[in-house]
mmCIF file of all heavy atoms in Angstrom:
data_model
loop_
_atom_site.group_PDB
_atom_site.id
_atom_site.type_symbol
_atom_site.label_atom_id
_atom_site.label_comp_id
_atom_site.label_asym_id
_atom_site.label_seq_id
_atom_site.Cartn_x
_atom_site.Cartn_y
_atom_site.Cartn_z
ATOM 1 N N LEU A 1 0.816 -1.199 0.005
ATOM 2 C CA LEU A 1 -0.004 0.021 -0.031
ATOM 3 C C LEU A 1 0.892 1.276 -0.004
ATOM 4 O O LEU A 1 1.869 1.255 0.712
ATOM 5 C CB LEU A 1 -0.915 -0.018 1.273
ATOM 6 C CG LEU A 1 -2.103 0.891 1.272
ATOM 7 C CD1 LEU A 1 -3.133 0.521 0.226
ATOM 8 C CD2 LEU A 1 -2.731 0.916 2.643
ATOM 9 N N PRO A 2 0.602 2.288 -0.799
ATOM 10 C CA PRO A 2 1.390 3.510 -0.775
ATOM 11 C C PRO A 2 1.461 4.026 0.653
ATOM 12 O O PRO A 2 0.503 3.995 1.443
ATOM 13 C CB PRO A 2 0.556 4.418 -1.677
ATOM 14 C CG PRO A 2 -0.130 3.531 -2.617
ATOM 15 C CD PRO A 2 -0.479 2.320 -1.798
ATOM 16 N N VAL A 3 2.619 4.587 1.020
ATOM 17 C CA VAL A 3 2.835 5.009 2.381
ATOM 18 C C VAL A 3 1.876 6.058 2.848
ATOM 19 O O VAL A 3 1.469 6.052 4.043
ATOM 20 C CB VAL A 3 4.290 5.511 2.549
ATOM 21 C CG1 VAL A 3 4.534 6.761 1.766
ATOM 22 C CG2 VAL A 3 4.626 5.680 4.078
ATOM 23 N N VAL A 4 1.379 6.942 1.976
ATOM 24 C CA VAL A 4 0.439 7.951 2.392
ATOM 25 C C VAL A 4 -0.882 7.359 2.747
ATOM 26 O O VAL A 4 -1.521 7.676 3.779
ATOM 27 C CB VAL A 4 0.226 8.996 1.242
ATOM 28 C CG1 VAL A 4 -0.834 9.984 1.578
ATOM 29 C CG2 VAL A 4 1.566 9.730 0.932
ATOM 30 N N ALA A 5 -1.333 6.386 1.908
ATOM 31 C CA ALA A 5 -2.596 5.670 2.258
ATOM 32 C C ALA A 5 -2.476 4.854 3.513
ATOM 33 O O ALA A 5 -3.336 4.872 4.354
ATOM 34 C CB ALA A 5 -2.961 4.773 1.082
ATOM 35 N N GLN A 6 -1.316 4.179 3.679
ATOM 36 C CA GLN A 6 -1.108 3.415 4.886
ATOM 37 C C GLN A 6 -1.137 4.312 6.108
ATOM 38 O O GLN A 6 -1.724 3.935 7.144
ATOM 39 C CB GLN A 6 0.219 2.647 4.821
ATOM 40 C CG GLN A 6 0.521 1.817 6.019
ATOM 41 C CD GLN A 6 1.803 1.059 5.941
ATOM 42 O OE1 GLN A 6 2.144 0.609 4.848
ATOM 43 N NE2 GLN A 6 2.472 0.791 7.046
ATOM 44 N N GLN A 7 -0.557 5.459 6.056
ATOM 45 C CA GLN A 7 -0.544 6.403 7.196
ATOM 46 C C GLN A 7 -1.937 6.880 7.507
ATOM 47 O O GLN A 7 -2.320 7.051 8.649
ATOM 48 C CB GLN A 7 0.432 7.549 6.968
ATOM 49 C CG GLN A 7 0.679 8.409 8.108
ATOM 50 C CD GLN A 7 1.348 7.662 9.281
ATOM 51 O OE1 GLN A 7 1.995 6.653 9.063
ATOM 52 N NE2 GLN A 7 1.157 8.141 10.472
ATOM 53 N N GLY A 8 -2.695 7.172 6.464
ATOM 54 C CA GLY A 8 -4.032 7.626 6.655
ATOM 55 C C GLY A 8 -4.933 6.582 7.339
ATOM 56 O O GLY A 8 -5.642 6.921 8.299
ATOM 57 N N TRP A 9 -4.857 5.339 6.952
ATOM 58 C CA TRP A 9 -5.594 4.260 7.620
ATOM 59 C C TRP A 9 -5.025 4.046 8.996
ATOM 60 O O TRP A 9 -5.845 3.711 9.919
ATOM 61 C CB TRP A 9 -5.439 2.981 6.785
ATOM 62 C CG TRP A 9 -6.346 2.920 5.558
ATOM 63 C CD1 TRP A 9 -5.920 3.018 4.280
ATOM 64 C CD2 TRP A 9 -7.789 2.922 5.513
ATOM 65 N NE1 TRP A 9 -6.999 3.013 3.428
ATOM 66 C CE2 TRP A 9 -8.164 2.924 4.162
ATOM 67 C CE3 TRP A 9 -8.724 2.822 6.470
ATOM 68 C CZ2 TRP A 9 -9.476 2.888 3.747
ATOM 69 C CZ3 TRP A 9 -10.086 2.759 6.117
ATOM 70 C CH2 TRP A 9 -10.425 2.825 4.740
ATOM 71 N N THR A 10 -3.783 4.191 9.210
ATOM 72 C CA THR A 10 -3.157 4.015 10.542
ATOM 73 C C THR A 10 -3.729 5.082 11.476
ATOM 74 O O THR A 10 -4.006 4.792 12.629
ATOM 75 C CB THR A 10 -1.620 4.105 10.461
ATOM 76 O OG1 THR A 10 -1.132 3.097 9.698
ATOM 77 C CG2 THR A 10 -1.005 4.032 11.838
ATOM 78 N N MET A 11 -3.789 6.327 11.061
ATOM 79 C CA MET A 11 -4.374 7.374 11.860
ATOM 80 C C MET A 11 -5.796 7.076 12.225
ATOM 81 O O MET A 11 -6.207 7.240 13.396
ATOM 82 C CB MET A 11 -4.353 8.706 11.084
ATOM 83 C CG MET A 11 -2.933 9.314 10.922
ATOM 84 S SD MET A 11 -2.999 10.823 9.971
ATOM 85 C CE MET A 11 -1.287 11.321 10.025
ATOM 86 N N LEU A 12 -6.602 6.621 11.286
ATOM 87 C CA LEU A 12 -8.023 6.319 11.544
ATOM 88 C C LEU A 12 -8.168 5.124 12.507
ATOM 89 O O LEU A 12 -9.070 5.103 13.362
ATOM 90 C CB LEU A 12 -8.765 6.112 10.264
ATOM 91 C CG LEU A 12 -8.967 7.380 9.433
ATOM 92 C CD1 LEU A 12 -9.695 7.031 8.136
ATOM 93 C CD2 LEU A 12 -9.709 8.459 10.167
ATOM 94 N N PHE A 13 -7.364 4.087 12.308
ATOM 95 C CA PHE A 13 -7.378 2.925 13.201
ATOM 96 C C PHE A 13 -6.993 3.380 14.601
ATOM 97 O O PHE A 13 -7.650 3.016 15.598
ATOM 98 C CB PHE A 13 -6.397 1.858 12.712
ATOM 99 C CG PHE A 13 -6.541 0.529 13.381
ATOM 100 C CD1 PHE A 13 -7.200 -0.490 12.736
ATOM 101 C CD2 PHE A 13 -6.041 0.333 14.700
ATOM 102 C CE1 PHE A 13 -7.405 -1.727 13.359
ATOM 103 C CE2 PHE A 13 -6.142 -0.936 15.297
ATOM 104 C CZ PHE A 13 -6.838 -1.931 14.636
ATOM 105 N N GLY A 14 -5.962 4.197 14.749
ATOM 106 C CA GLY A 14 -5.547 4.705 16.052
ATOM 107 C C GLY A 14 -6.584 5.594 16.707
ATOM 108 O O GLY A 14 -6.826 5.456 17.940
ATOM 109 N N SER A 15 -7.255 6.386 15.936
ATOM 110 C CA SER A 15 -8.345 7.270 16.469
ATOM 111 C C SER A 15 -9.485 6.427 16.999
ATOM 112 O O SER A 15 -10.063 6.776 18.057
ATOM 113 C CB SER A 15 -8.763 8.255 15.497
ATOM 114 O OG SER A 15 -9.557 7.678 14.416
ATOM 115 N N ALA A 16 -9.813 5.373 16.294
ATOM 116 C CA ALA A 16 -10.877 4.465 16.755
ATOM 117 C C ALA A 16 -10.526 3.818 18.135
ATOM 118 O O ALA A 16 -11.386 3.728 19.018
ATOM 119 C CB ALA A 16 -11.149 3.360 15.713
ATOM 120 N N VAL A 17 -9.282 3.457 18.301
ATOM 121 C CA VAL A 17 -8.832 2.916 19.571
ATOM 122 C C VAL A 17 -8.865 3.955 20.653
ATOM 123 O O VAL A 17 -9.299 3.674 21.759
ATOM 124 C CB VAL A 17 -7.345 2.317 19.430
ATOM 125 C CG1 VAL A 17 -6.868 1.849 20.813
ATOM 126 C CG2 VAL A 17 -7.324 1.140 18.409
ATOM 127 N N LEU A 18 -8.484 5.151 20.307
ATOM 128 C CA LEU A 18 -8.537 6.268 21.283
ATOM 129 C C LEU A 18 -9.985 6.589 21.659
ATOM 130 O O LEU A 18 -10.276 6.834 22.872
ATOM 131 C CB LEU A 18 -7.857 7.503 20.702
ATOM 132 C CG LEU A 18 -6.329 7.472 20.654
ATOM 133 C CD1 LEU A 18 -5.800 8.580 19.754
ATOM 134 C CD2 LEU A 18 -5.729 7.614 22.065
ATOM 135 N N HIS A 19 -10.865 6.575 20.721
ATOM 136 C CA HIS A 19 -12.271 6.829 21.028
ATOM 137 C C HIS A 19 -12.814 5.742 22.002
ATOM 138 O O HIS A 19 -13.523 6.013 22.976
ATOM 139 C CB HIS A 19 -13.111 6.755 19.767
ATOM 140 C CG HIS A 19 -13.169 8.087 19.079
ATOM 141 N ND1 HIS A 19 -13.761 9.233 19.635
ATOM 142 C CD2 HIS A 19 -12.764 8.489 17.847
ATOM 143 C CE1 HIS A 19 -13.671 10.272 18.792
ATOM 144 N NE2 HIS A 19 -13.035 9.837 17.682
ATOM 145 N N ALA A 20 -12.467 4.488 21.738
ATOM 146 C CA ALA A 20 -12.904 3.391 22.638
ATOM 147 C C ALA A 20 -12.359 3.588 24.056
ATOM 148 O O ALA A 20 -13.050 3.449 25.060
ATOM 149 C CB ALA A 20 -12.457 2.021 22.058
ATOM 150 N N ALA A 21 -11.073 3.948 24.124
ATOM 151 C CA ALA A 21 -10.408 4.165 25.426
ATOM 152 C C ALA A 21 -11.064 5.405 26.124
ATOM 153 O O ALA A 21 -11.253 5.376 27.389
ATOM 154 C CB ALA A 21 -8.945 4.395 25.260
ATOM 155 N N SER A 22 -11.452 6.399 25.319
ATOM 156 C CA SER A 22 -12.094 7.625 25.951
ATOM 157 C C SER A 22 -13.432 7.222 26.523
ATOM 158 O O SER A 22 -13.798 7.673 27.620
ATOM 159 C CB SER A 22 -12.271 8.637 24.889
ATOM 160 O OG SER A 22 -12.935 9.761 25.390
ATOM 161 N N VAL A 23 -14.215 6.355 25.844
ATOM 162 C CA VAL A 23 -15.506 5.888 26.385
ATOM 163 C C VAL A 23 -15.319 5.129 27.643
ATOM 164 O O VAL A 23 -16.038 5.319 28.616
ATOM 165 C CB VAL A 23 -16.221 5.123 25.302
ATOM 166 C CG1 VAL A 23 -17.539 4.453 25.904
ATOM 167 C CG2 VAL A 23 -16.620 5.976 24.115
ATOM 168 N N VAL A 24 -14.387 4.202 27.634
ATOM 169 C CA VAL A 24 -14.117 3.394 28.829
ATOM 170 C C VAL A 24 -13.696 4.317 29.975
ATOM 171 O O VAL A 24 -14.125 4.045 31.154
ATOM 172 C CB VAL A 24 -13.007 2.359 28.535
ATOM 173 C CG1 VAL A 24 -12.551 1.648 29.834
ATOM 174 C CG2 VAL A 24 -13.482 1.288 27.536
ATOM 175 N N ARG A 25 -12.969 5.332 29.731
ATOM 176 C CA ARG A 25 -12.486 6.214 30.772
ATOM 177 C C ARG A 25 -13.616 7.170 31.220
ATOM 178 O O ARG A 25 -13.495 7.858 32.207
ATOM 179 C CB ARG A 25 -11.292 7.034 30.226
ATOM 180 C CG ARG A 25 -10.455 7.711 31.297
ATOM 181 C CD ARG A 25 -9.138 8.155 30.726
ATOM 182 N NE ARG A 25 -8.350 8.800 31.765
ATOM 183 C CZ ARG A 25 -8.270 10.112 31.881
ATOM 184 N NH1 ARG A 25 -8.938 10.913 31.083
ATOM 185 N NH2 ARG A 25 -7.507 10.687 32.852
ATOM 186 N N GLY A 26 -14.713 7.213 30.456
ATOM 187 C CA GLY A 26 -15.877 8.089 30.844
ATOM 188 C C GLY A 26 -15.632 9.538 30.532
ATOM 189 O O GLY A 26 -16.197 10.409 31.249
#
């Protein structure tokens, strides 16, 4: 995958994990 596309998906994957952790943290 082109590095720009890979980085974009990586950012969105990471933001999803952060959202989940934010919800757990209340």
Side-chain angles (χ1 to χ4, degrees):
L1 196 66
V3 66
V4 175
Q6 180 176 328
Q7 188 64 23
W9 285 109
T10 297
M11 289 178 177
L12 291 179
F13 192 101
S15 72
V17 176
L18 285 165
H19 274 296
S22 177
V23 170
V24 171
R25 198 166 179 261

